[in-house]
Amino acid sequence: MSVNEGKELRIIGFLCNWCSYAGADTAGVGRFAQPTDLRIVRLPCTGRINPLFIVRAFMNGADGVLVSGCHPRDCHYSEGNFYARRRLEVLKALLPVIGVDPGRFEYTWVSASEGQRWRSVVTSFTEQVHALGPMPGFKSGTSLEKCLCQMDQSQVL
């Protein structure tokens, strides 16, 4: 069931393996109705997410990105969600600079037992992204694209 009965949008979800992914699984097992726009990428911990993953998702056509992990002080790796929160707050402040509406990005905390909460988080975020509509494309050859290519090359070395 899509929020809008028309076109589905591309929404990417980066989820913590230990809490949010399990929470999404709990929602599925409980057969809670939820939007079908979200495509999930499973991570060992939100602390492992590089903000460039999110920027790349937007550059490759994602209409929205959701990051979800363990509640603070409940991280499987002790402090991963604190590191993630710090990075994601900085990224959220920089999104308008690169031409992305901050409403297209959200991060949240959902534990394994919160299937109902997962459903409400995904539904509200999907409605928010649908209200914004499809993501306008980035122009090829922008300085952002060149910067990301240079960063990719430096990481290979």
Side-chain angles (χ1 to χ4, degrees), residues 23 47 53 87 90 148:
F53 294 171
R87 290 182 195 126
V90 171
L148 288 173

Side-chain angles (χ1 to χ4, degrees), residues 38-130:
L38 184 72
R39 301 296 179 257
I40 294 174
V41 177
R42 190 172 169 182
L43 300 171
C45 178
T46 53
R48 295 281 299 149
I49 193 161
N50 184 332
L52 290 177
F53 294 171
I54 297 159
V55 173
R56 279 265 184 226
F58 282 122
M59 289 193 68
N60 289 321
D63 299 305
V65 177
L66 174 69
V67 177
S68 186
C70 303
H71 288 283
R73 302 203 192 290
D74 210 14
C75 179
H76 187 77
Y77 297 103
S78 300
E79 300 171 342
N81 46 18
F82 290 117
Y83 295 128
R85 183 174 60 189
R86 188 178 322 147
R87 290 182 195 126
L88 298 176
E89 277 296 319
V90 171
L91 175 68
K92 195 159 188 154
L94 291 175
L95 285 177
V97 174
I98 63 171
V100 176
D101 186 323
R104 295 184 181 278
F105 171 70
E106 191 66 51
Y107 68 92
T108 187
W109 318 120
V110 176
S111 76
S113 63
E114 295 179 317
Q116 190 72 318
R117 175 169 157 64
W118 169 255
R119 185 188 71 71
S120 68
V121 164
V122 170
T123 302
S124 67
F125 181 67
T126 304
E127 288 171 352
Q128 180 177 326
V129 172
H130 274 270

